[in-house]
Amino acid sequence: MVVKIESQLEDVESKIGDKLHLLDKDMDGVVTVEEVAASLRTILKRDLTEEQARAIAADMDQNEDGVLTVKELAMWAEINKVIKLMEEGRDAE
């Protein structure tokens, strides 16, 4: 199961890495918590306050350095996928 999760993480990292530049609004090669928060407010199909968007983005920033890496985004996506599946009563395949 660990091998399968590692494989899925590598796949997610690859997909996120290819699109990461879309979040980098000032094109400095770094994706900040602020840039992700702004993107969340425009991309998601539900209204988020600035505080809610910043809280979600800060949750992604595991080392709390204000910069999001592909690994942090991939890990956050995988963790939240598993949580959602568990809430729905399904197993993470």
Side-chain angles (χ1 to χ4, degrees):
M1 181 163 177
V2 171
V3 173
K4 189 173 187 177
I5 291 173
E6 287 175 347
S7 174
Q8 290 173 338
L9 275 174
E10 287 176 13
D11 185 46
V12 170
E13 284 181 23
S14 172
K15 289 176 183 175
I16 291 174
D18 291 344
K19 305 293 185 214
L20 203 58
H21 69 281
L22 299 172
L23 299 175
D24 185 11
K25 299 298 182 189
D26 61 6
M27 306 299 272
D28 65 352
V30 177
V31 178
T32 64
V33 169
E34 291 80 17
E35 288 171 322
V36 171
S39 295
L40 288 171
R41 291 192 70 206
T42 58
I43 293 171
L44 292 181
K45 296 178 181 173
R46 60 186 173 124
D47 290 330
L48 288 178
T49 66
E50 180 69 26
E51 294 78 26
Q52 290 170 321
R54 283 183 178 271
I56 293 169
D59 188 46
M60 295 176 188
D61 186 18
Q62 293 178 346
N63 63 2
E64 300 178 358
D65 65 352
V67 176
L68 296 169
T69 64
V70 171
K71 186 173 183 174
E72 286 174 319
L73 291 170
M75 186 69 92
W76 183 86
E78 186 63 29
I79 288 169
N80 282 284
K81 174 185 169 187
V82 170
I83 290 170
K84 184 174 181 172
L85 289 172
M86 289 173 62
E87 287 172 350
E88 293 173 355
R90 299 180 0 207
D91 188 18
E93 298 172 6

